Amino acid sequence: YQRRVRVIEVRQTAGSTAGASSGDFHVYKNQRRAEATRLARMEAVKRKSEEQSAFDARRAQIKAVEDRKTAKKAAKRKRAKENAKLAKRKAADPNAVTEPARKAGPAKE
């Protein structure tokens, strides 16, 4: 969503040059100050938006890495738990044919 930029038209551009009355200078200075403030505010909003998008991208990248690590550790805990169950069953019945849980990997042909 983009906001439309409101352009302030400055009609009294005489400034403090010869031929301008003393009242026109103050009008010009006020309009110039208002325009400078508006432009500074637009720049601040743009900078903040860019910083936020960079932060969000970095945060998503870190979260993806953390999720991969968490999944890997969970799989390791699950394998260990299954192997412990198998060892317990094997201890109870030494003639049982059991195979330990293995790391999931590419299928070998």
Side-chain angles (χ1 to χ4, degrees):
Y1 155 36
Q2 291 258 337
R3 269 209 213 162
R4 289 188 65 190
V5 176
R6 185 174 62 111
V7 177
I8 299 173
E9 191 174 319
V10 180
R11 294 183 182 185
Q12 303 285 13
T13 57
S16 61
T17 60
S21 65
S22 60
D24 290 341
F25 177 70
H26 299 295
V27 170
Y28 163 75
K29 288 293 276 186
N30 284 336
Q31 288 176 339
R32 188 173 129 193
R33 180 188 47 78
E35 181 69 7
T37 303
R38 185 182 74 87
L39 292 174
R41 193 176 315 124
M42 283 174 33
E43 287 296 321
V45 167
K46 180 181 177 187
R47 187 181 67 249
K48 188 173 182 178
S49 173
E50 289 172 351
E51 288 173 357
Q52 185 65 39
S53 63
F55 171 77
D56 290 340
R58 178 79 175 130
R59 187 176 185 191
Q61 182 183 17
I62 290 170
K63 184 172 176 12
V65 169
E66 292 297 322
D67 288 345
R68 278 197 299 271
K69 285 182 183 179
T70 302
K72 185 177 179 181
K73 288 181 181 181
K76 187 175 180 179
R77 285 191 304 270
K78 186 178 179 184
R79 282 193 311 274
K81 191 174 183 180
E82 288 173 0
N83 287 340
K85 281 183 184 179
L86 286 174
K88 197 173 192 181
R89 270 193 250 148
K90 196 172 191 180
D93 184 12
N95 296 329
V97 178
T98 56
E99 207 174 298
R102 297 178 189 246
K103 215 177 196 183
K108 294 182 180 176
E109 293 180 17

mmCIF file of all heavy atoms in Angstrom, residues 17-41:
data_model
loop_
_atom_site.group_PDB
_atom_site.id
_atom_site.type_symbol
_atom_site.label_atom_id
_atom_site.label_comp_id
_atom_site.label_asym_id
_atom_site.label_seq_id
_atom_site.Cartn_x
_atom_site.Cartn_y
_atom_site.Cartn_z
ATOM 1 N N THR A 17 14.635 38.784 -1.694
ATOM 2 C CA THR A 17 15.301 39.526 -2.764
ATOM 3 C C THR A 17 14.680 40.907 -2.901
ATOM 4 O O THR A 17 13.623 41.201 -2.340
ATOM 5 C CB THR A 17 15.173 38.779 -4.105
ATOM 6 O OG1 THR A 17 13.793 38.652 -4.412
ATOM 7 C CG2 THR A 17 15.820 37.425 -4.036
ATOM 8 N N ALA A 18 15.313 41.719 -3.663
ATOM 9 C CA ALA A 18 14.819 43.081 -3.878
ATOM 10 C C ALA A 18 13.452 43.025 -4.545
ATOM 11 O O ALA A 18 13.205 42.200 -5.426
ATOM 12 C CB ALA A 18 15.794 43.859 -4.743
ATOM 13 N N GLY A 19 12.551 43.834 -4.119
ATOM 14 C CA GLY A 19 11.221 43.879 -4.706
ATOM 15 C C GLY A 19 10.215 43.125 -3.884
ATOM 16 O O GLY A 19 9.017 43.302 -4.054
ATOM 17 N N ALA A 20 10.654 42.256 -3.000
ATOM 18 C CA ALA A 20 9.715 41.524 -2.162
ATOM 19 C C ALA A 20 9.477 42.333 -0.897
ATOM 20 O O ALA A 20 10.392 42.926 -0.342
ATOM 21 C CB ALA A 20 10.288 40.165 -1.798
ATOM 22 N N SER A 21 8.257 42.312 -0.463
ATOM 23 C CA SER A 21 7.977 43.053 0.770
ATOM 24 C C SER A 21 8.451 42.218 1.957
ATOM 25 O O SER A 21 8.708 41.029 1.849
ATOM 26 C CB SER A 21 6.480 43.339 0.884
ATOM 27 O OG SER A 21 5.771 42.122 1.012
ATOM 28 N N SER A 22 8.554 42.838 3.104
ATOM 29 C CA SER A 22 9.081 42.147 4.270
ATOM 30 C C SER A 22 8.145 41.027 4.723
ATOM 31 O O SER A 22 8.582 40.043 5.303
ATOM 32 C CB SER A 22 9.310 43.141 5.406
ATOM 33 O OG SER A 22 8.076 43.754 5.754
ATOM 34 N N GLY A 23 6.858 41.121 4.452
ATOM 35 C CA GLY A 23 5.911 40.085 4.856
ATOM 36 C C GLY A 23 6.042 38.819 4.025
ATOM 37 O O GLY A 23 5.801 37.711 4.515
ATOM 38 N N ASP A 24 6.415 38.956 2.768
ATOM 39 C CA ASP A 24 6.544 37.789 1.884
ATOM 40 C C ASP A 24 7.669 36.860 2.316
ATOM 41 O O ASP A 24 7.586 35.642 2.159
ATOM 42 C CB ASP A 24 6.805 38.233 0.440
ATOM 43 C CG ASP A 24 5.580 38.885 -0.192
ATOM 44 O OD1 ASP A 24 4.475 38.665 0.339
ATOM 45 O OD2 ASP A 24 5.762 39.586 -1.197
ATOM 46 N N PHE A 25 8.711 37.426 2.900
ATOM 47 C CA PHE A 25 9.839 36.607 3.320
ATOM 48 C C PHE A 25 9.419 35.601 4.389
ATOM 49 O O PHE A 25 9.793 34.437 4.346
ATOM 50 C CB PHE A 25 10.967 37.490 3.852
ATOM 51 C CG PHE A 25 12.119 36.706 4.376
ATOM 52 C CD1 PHE A 25 12.941 36.005 3.517
ATOM 53 C CD2 PHE A 25 12.377 36.660 5.735
ATOM 54 C CE1 PHE A 25 14.009 35.273 3.991
ATOM 55 C CE2 PHE A 25 13.444 35.921 6.226
ATOM 56 C CZ PHE A 25 14.264 35.232 5.350
ATOM 57 N N HIS A 26 8.598 36.011 5.329
ATOM 58 C CA HIS A 26 8.169 35.131 6.400
ATOM 59 C C HIS A 26 7.254 34.017 5.870
ATOM 60 O O HIS A 26 7.327 32.875 6.314
ATOM 61 C CB HIS A 26 7.473 35.923 7.509
ATOM 62 C CG HIS A 26 8.380 36.937 8.125
ATOM 63 N ND1 HIS A 26 9.503 36.595 8.829
ATOM 64 C CD2 HIS A 26 8.354 38.295 8.095
ATOM 65 C CE1 HIS A 26 10.121 37.697 9.238
ATOM 66 N NE2 HIS A 26 9.443 38.743 8.793
ATOM 67 N N VAL A 27 6.433 34.358 4.884
ATOM 68 C CA VAL A 27 5.573 33.344 4.262
ATOM 69 C C VAL A 27 6.444 32.302 3.575
ATOM 70 O O VAL A 27 6.249 31.089 3.730
ATOM 71 C CB VAL A 27 4.608 34.000 3.244
ATOM 72 C CG1 VAL A 27 3.878 32.945 2.422
ATOM 73 C CG2 VAL A 27 3.630 34.908 3.958
ATOM 74 N N TYR A 28 7.450 32.773 2.847
ATOM 75 C CA TYR A 28 8.359 31.879 2.142
ATOM 76 C C TYR A 28 9.108 30.983 3.130
ATOM 77 O O TYR A 28 9.203 29.767 2.941
ATOM 78 C CB TYR A 28 9.348 32.716 1.316
ATOM 79 C CG TYR A 28 10.567 31.960 0.881
ATOM 80 C CD1 TYR A 28 10.496 31.026 -0.153
ATOM 81 C CD2 TYR A 28 11.797 32.155 1.512
ATOM 82 C CE1 TYR A 28 11.619 30.321 -0.548
ATOM 83 C CE2 TYR A 28 12.916 31.454 1.123
ATOM 84 C CZ TYR A 28 12.819 30.541 0.092
ATOM 85 O OH TYR A 28 13.922 29.846 -0.291
ATOM 86 N N LYS A 29 9.639 31.573 4.201
ATOM 87 C CA LYS A 29 10.383 30.786 5.177
ATOM 88 C C LYS A 29 9.506 29.723 5.835
ATOM 89 O O LYS A 29 9.939 28.594 6.042
ATOM 90 C CB LYS A 29 10.969 31.709 6.263
ATOM 91 C CG LYS A 29 12.106 32.562 5.798
ATOM 92 C CD LYS A 29 13.320 31.745 5.475
ATOM 93 C CE LYS A 29 14.106 31.473 6.737
ATOM 94 N NZ LYS A 29 15.383 30.803 6.488
ATOM 95 N N ASN A 30 8.271 30.056 6.159
ATOM 96 C CA ASN A 30 7.362 29.085 6.783
ATOM 97 C C ASN A 30 7.033 27.940 5.828
ATOM 98 O O ASN A 30 6.987 26.772 6.227
ATOM 99 C CB ASN A 30 6.081 29.760 7.265
ATOM 100 C CG ASN A 30 6.296 30.549 8.534
ATOM 101 O OD1 ASN A 30 7.218 30.270 9.282
ATOM 102 N ND2 ASN A 30 5.457 31.552 8.774
ATOM 103 N N GLN A 31 6.798 28.278 4.553
ATOM 104 C CA GLN A 31 6.506 27.227 3.574
ATOM 105 C C GLN A 31 7.728 26.331 3.366
ATOM 106 O O GLN A 31 7.598 25.122 3.240
ATOM 107 C CB GLN A 31 6.064 27.853 2.248
ATOM 108 C CG GLN A 31 4.677 28.457 2.312
ATOM 109 C CD GLN A 31 4.310 29.160 1.025
ATOM 110 O OE1 GLN A 31 5.168 29.531 0.238
ATOM 111 N NE2 GLN A 31 3.019 29.352 0.816
ATOM 112 N N ARG A 32 8.889 26.927 3.324
ATOM 113 C CA ARG A 32 10.117 26.164 3.138
ATOM 114 C C ARG A 32 10.359 25.229 4.333
ATOM 115 O O ARG A 32 10.732 24.067 4.170
ATOM 116 C CB ARG A 32 11.283 27.130 2.974
ATOM 117 C CG ARG A 32 12.559 26.447 2.582
ATOM 118 C CD ARG A 32 13.620 27.469 2.280
ATOM 119 N NE ARG A 32 14.791 27.092 3.059
ATOM 120 C CZ ARG A 32 15.823 27.852 3.262
ATOM 121 N NH1 ARG A 32 15.851 29.076 2.774
ATOM 122 N NH2 ARG A 32 16.843 27.429 3.965
ATOM 123 N N ARG A 33 10.139 25.720 5.543
ATOM 124 C CA ARG A 33 10.299 24.907 6.745
ATOM 125 C C ARG A 33 9.298 23.759 6.751
ATOM 126 O O ARG A 33 9.651 22.609 7.051
ATOM 127 C CB ARG A 33 10.106 25.766 7.992
ATOM 128 C CG ARG A 33 10.258 24.994 9.291
ATOM 129 C CD ARG A 33 9.861 25.825 10.504
ATOM 130 N NE ARG A 33 8.597 26.535 10.340
ATOM 131 C CZ ARG A 33 7.388 25.973 10.443
ATOM 132 N NH1 ARG A 33 7.270 24.695 10.668
ATOM 133 N NH2 ARG A 33 6.303 26.706 10.296
ATOM 134 N N ALA A 34 8.037 24.035 6.372
ATOM 135 C CA ALA A 34 7.018 22.991 6.338
ATOM 136 C C ALA A 34 7.378 21.907 5.324
ATOM 137 O O ALA A 34 7.216 20.707 5.581
ATOM 138 C CB ALA A 34 5.652 23.595 6.013
ATOM 139 N N GLU A 35 7.874 22.313 4.159
ATOM 140 C CA GLU A 35 8.263 21.351 3.120
ATOM 141 C C GLU A 35 9.461 20.510 3.585
ATOM 142 O O GLU A 35 9.500 19.291 3.386
ATOM 143 C CB GLU A 35 8.598 22.085 1.829
ATOM 144 C CG GLU A 35 8.980 21.185 0.678
ATOM 145 C CD GLU A 35 7.838 20.350 0.145
ATOM 146 O OE1 GLU A 35 6.685 20.532 0.560
ATOM 147 O OE2 GLU A 35 8.114 19.475 -0.711
ATOM 148 N N ALA A 36 10.437 21.144 4.230
ATOM 149 C CA ALA A 36 11.593 20.410 4.726
ATOM 150 C C ALA A 36 11.177 19.407 5.788
ATOM 151 O O ALA A 36 11.664 18.268 5.813
ATOM 152 C CB ALA A 36 12.632 21.378 5.289
ATOM 153 N N THR A 37 10.254 19.779 6.655
ATOM 154 C CA THR A 37 9.752 18.874 7.691
ATOM 155 C C THR A 37 9.025 17.686 7.062
ATOM 156 O O THR A 37 9.210 16.543 7.469
ATOM 157 C CB THR A 37 8.789 19.624 8.640
ATOM 158 O OG1 THR A 37 9.481 20.731 9.193
ATOM 159 C CG2 THR A 37 8.295 18.727 9.745
ATOM 160 N N ARG A 38 8.208 17.972 6.052
ATOM 161 C CA ARG A 38 7.463 16.908 5.359
ATOM 162 C C ARG A 38 8.415 15.925 4.691
ATOM 163 O O ARG A 38 8.261 14.702 4.818
ATOM 164 C CB ARG A 38 6.524 17.527 4.321
ATOM 165 C CG ARG A 38 5.608 16.540 3.623
ATOM 166 C CD ARG A 38 4.750 17.248 2.595
ATOM 167 N NE ARG A 38 5.516 17.619 1.426
ATOM 168 C CZ ARG A 38 5.723 16.819 0.380
ATOM 169 N NH1 ARG A 38 5.238 15.611 0.356
ATOM 170 N NH2 ARG A 38 6.426 17.230 -0.649
ATOM 171 N N LEU A 39 9.436 16.429 4.015
ATOM 172 C CA LEU A 39 10.401 15.558 3.345
ATOM 173 C C LEU A 39 11.197 14.739 4.358
ATOM 174 O O LEU A 39 11.462 13.548 4.139
ATOM 175 C CB LEU A 39 11.343 16.380 2.463
ATOM 176 C CG LEU A 39 10.696 17.030 1.238
ATOM 177 C CD1 LEU A 39 11.698 17.933 0.525
ATOM 178 C CD2 LEU A 39 10.144 15.991 0.298
ATOM 179 N N ALA A 40 11.568 15.361 5.476
ATOM 180 C CA ALA A 40 12.306 14.630 6.515
ATOM 181 C C ALA A 40 11.441 13.510 7.087
ATOM 182 O O ALA A 40 11.925 12.398 7.342
ATOM 183 C CB ALA A 40 12.736 15.586 7.619
ATOM 184 N N ARG A 41 10.163 13.771 7.285
ATOM 185 C CA ARG A 41 9.256 12.754 7.811
ATOM 186 C C ARG A 41 9.110 11.597 6.812
ATOM 187 O O ARG A 41 9.116 10.424 7.199
ATOM 188 C CB ARG A 41 7.886 13.373 8.103
ATOM 189 C CG ARG A 41 7.001 12.478 8.925
ATOM 190 C CD ARG A 41 5.663 13.116 9.304
ATOM 191 N NE ARG A 41 5.793 14.482 9.762
ATOM 192 C CZ ARG A 41 5.148 15.532 9.233
ATOM 193 N NH1 ARG A 41 4.323 15.372 8.219
ATOM 194 N NH2 ARG A 41 5.323 16.741 9.710
#
